Amino acid sequence: MVYIIAEVGVNFFDISKKYDISALDACKLLIIEAKKNGADAVKFQSYKAETLVSTNSPAYWDTSLEPTKTQYELFKKHDSFIEKDYVFLSNFCRKHQIDFICTPFDLNSVNFLNNIVDVYKISSSDITNKPLILEVASKQKKILLSTGASTIDDIRNAIELIKSTGNNNIVIMHCILSYPTKNEDANLNMITSIKKNFPDYEIGYSDHTKPDCNMQIVTAAYILGAEYIEKHYTLDKLLQGNDHYHSMDSQDLKKFKDNINFMDIILGNKEKQVLDCEKISKLNARRSIYVTKNLEKGHIITMNDLICKRPNVGICAMNIDNIIGKVLLKDISIDEVLTNQYF
């Protein structure tokens, strides 16, 4: 079963404006809806624009969908929450039996989150941020390590940093650092590559594609082996703003959860074996060795005497070569099945 993370991020600010409610009330609404529609966790972000970006950092997203021109301007709009707000959200999640996860973007966030999260997320943008990685790793908690725009060496170096603190509780998240990610850029086969290069770790997928109507992309990621899947989450995909345009909504989330439940049913066992439902078919559809004519006691069996037919209630057709040249111990009639009693 996959672990589904609804990435609220900072989408709640626009939700609060749409419904004319407080930002915290918007968060509560998103948490409740995420839980109701199948998410295992909700994820938020903690940062301050001043410690995240320089004032002239250019946009790296599709500005036709999110028109803000600089990173500073965008992040400044969404950095008003402080420690007590995250404590409130963590407690609210616990009350509603959904996990609370947060991505810290500064050392202060890492430290105050330590008291309220069981899982940290390290953003793709910080996979080379040594001080942040070491601080997160030092808390000895599970880490979701996002790998957008990374090489295998980038991933390996980050893992070695984490391990240097004695923490080896890592989930490696395939990710494409492009907002939104075009379908042809999703490269879900990279999940297989990551599994091959890092066989000792759980693998996940952080998705930035626009949700398709059947949620096929994230479902395919699960089939390919992603055990954790994270996707941005909103209540209105048409809202203009930071991440709504590539977020799933409640209907998408429910569809995704239904897909996973169905996949679990049809994927079934990982080891090849004969199922109970096949046993009658196996007996009646496989072939035994039958005789093509009446044969008398003492006859030496030749290939012309034999035919392989259903059902498999005698000597299996696979053993036909072992029958040639044997001497019958008793008479047998045409179309009778050969069994060991005849030899």
Side-chain angles (χ1 to χ4, degrees):
M1 177 63 73
V2 71
Y3 186 85
I4 299 176
I5 304 167
E7 161 71 290
V8 173
V10 293
N11 279 344
F12 59 87
F13 284 108
D14 300 310
I15 298 295
S16 71
K17 293 175 184 176
K18 174 180 178 177
Y19 292 106
D20 193 24
I21 56 179
S22 72
L24 278 176
D25 282 341
C27 289
K28 289 159 60 178
L29 184 59
L30 281 154
I31 291 166
I32 290 169
E33 287 297 306
K35 171 65 177 180
K36 183 171 71 176
N37 289 287
D40 298 291
V42 287
K43 189 174 80 66
F44 292 83
Q45 300 171 3
S46 176
Y47 56 76
K48 294 298 178 186
E50 290 81 5
T51 60
L52 180 58
V53 293
S54 64
T55 53
N56 60 353
S57 295
Y60 57 91
W61 48 81
D62 186 339
T63 53
S64 68
L65 297 171
E66 166 51 70
T68 310
K69 299 300 182 184
T70 70
Q71 293 182 56
Y72 183 84
E73 182 185 356
L74 178 69
F75 294 130
K76 192 61 184 172
K77 292 191 295 186
H78 301 125
D79 72 350
S80 61
F81 272 19
I82 57 176
E83 179 176 352
K84 69 178 182 64
D85 298 308
Y86 294 101
V87 172
F88 175 87
L89 292 176
S90 176
N91 290 334
F92 189 82
C93 286
R94 187 176 299 108
K95 176 182 176 181
H96 289 272
Q97 298 182 316
I98 186 170
D99 293 341
F100 172 78
I101 301 175
C102 195
T103 304
F105 286 88
D106 54 57
L107 301 185
N108 180 60
S109 295
V110 174
N111 287 305
F112 78 69
L113 287 171
N114 185 42
N115 297 319
I116 57 176
V117 298
D118 295 318
V119 179
Y120 284 100
K121 170 77 183 295
I122 294 178
S123 164
S124 295
S125 60
D126 281 322
I127 198 167
T128 56
N129 185 347
K130 184 175 183 178
L132 183 76
I133 291 173
L134 287 173
E135 193 68 22
V136 170
S138 72
K139 306 307 179 186
Q140 302 301 317
K141 295 183 176 181
K142 183 185 288 283
I143 295 172
L144 307 179
L145 179 66
S146 204
T147 61
S150 298
T151 64
I152 292 296
D153 282 342
D154 288 333
I155 300 170
R156 184 171 289 110
N157 290 340
I159 288 174
E160 290 306 312
L161 270 181
I162 295 168
K163 288 173 61 179
S164 72
T165 69
N167 187 345
N168 198 31
N169 195 357
I170 305 165
V171 179
I172 307 172
M173 306 285 286
H174 169 52
C175 178
I176 301 298
L177 194 61
S178 179
Y179 300 86
T181 299
K182 296 177 182 178
N183 290 350
E184 58 267 29
D185 288 334
N187 283 283
L188 296 183
N189 279 329
M190 288 184 183
I191 293 170
T192 305
S193 172
I194 293 171
K195 287 173 69 73
K196 179 181 177 181
N197 279 278
F198 302 98
D200 297 330
Y201 295 97
E202 294 179 295
I203 307 298
Y205 175 53
S206 181
D207 181 63
H208 296 139
T209 63
K210 291 183 178 180
D212 58 273
C213 61
N214 291 312
M215 299 300 283
Q216 291 175 309
I217 293 173
V218 284
T219 303
Y222 174 59
I223 294 171
L224 287 168
E227 299 167 84
Y228 294 72
I229 295 182
E230 171 193 24
K231 187 164 182 62
H232 283 268
Y233 179 61
T234 183
L235 299 181
D236 186 350
K237 294 183 288 187
L238 298 180
L239 282 175
Q240 189 175 39
N242 198 31
D243 291 315
H244 301 282
Y245 56 90
H246 61 86
S247 295
M248 62 181 173
D249 62 14
S250 294
Q251 183 177 348
D252 296 326
L253 174 55
K254 184 178 185 307
K255 178 65 177 175
F256 177 33
K257 183 69 173 183
D258 288 345
N259 286 355
I260 295 302
N261 290 337
F262 182 62
M263 288 299 114
D264 283 339
I265 291 170
I266 65 173
L267 289 175
N269 296 323
K270 291 184 178 180
E271 301 299 328
K272 179 60 180 171
Q273 57 186 274
V274 178
L275 302 180
D276 288 342
C277 67
E278 296 179 298
K279 289 179 179 177
I280 293 177
S281 299
K282 180 180 179 181
L283 175 67
N284 291 304
R286 289 191 177 179
R287 304 191 189 209
S288 288
I289 305 169
Y290 292 73
V291 295
T292 60
K293 60 191 78 169
N294 295 328
L295 300 174
E296 295 181 350
K297 177 182 176 181
H299 179 79
I300 299 173
I301 298 291
T302 69
M303 186 62 77
N304 290 334
D305 299 325
L306 307 177
I307 186 172
C308 297
K309 299 170 72 171
R310 301 177 182 183
N312 182 22
V313 292
I315 297 173
C316 176
M318 183 63 75
N319 297 316
I320 194 167
D321 289 342
N322 298 331
I323 303 302
I324 306 303
K326 286 200 171 188
V327 179
L328 284 175
L329 298 180
K330 56 197 299 188
D331 294 346
I332 186 170
S333 300
I334 184 172
D335 205 36
E336 281 193 36
V337 64
L338 274 175
T339 62
N340 289 325
Q341 67 176 322
Y342 288 98
F343 305 105

